[in-house]
Amino acid sequence: MNRGPIVLTIDEAEYLLDQLPLPDKDEEELVTKLRTRLQELLADLRKGAEGSS
């Protein structure tokens, strides 16, 4: 699989996640995978954000 790095801020990751349609049982596997990866990225970004304990 070809991969490339991408660096996102918390705001950018939230925006992308908000742009995905609501979860649906019939959605494409790619959409589900992307949503999951963005949620994991957002959780990691928030965990390491300034002002978080």
Side-chain angles (χ1 to χ4, degrees), residues 10-53:
I10 291 173
D11 290 338
E12 292 166 336
E14 285 176 345
Y15 178 81
L16 288 175
L17 197 51
D18 288 345
Q19 297 310 303
L20 289 173
L22 293 174
D24 183 85
K25 63 181 175 95
D26 296 327
E27 73 185 4
E28 294 180 36
E29 183 181 336
L30 178 64
V31 174
T32 303
K33 184 177 180 181
L34 181 58
R35 179 182 291 107
T36 302
R37 294 195 61 184
L38 281 170
Q39 288 169 334
E40 290 170 357
L41 170 66
L42 197 50
D44 285 345
L45 287 173
R46 286 179 175 151
K47 196 177 349 178
E50 286 183 31
S52 65
S53 53

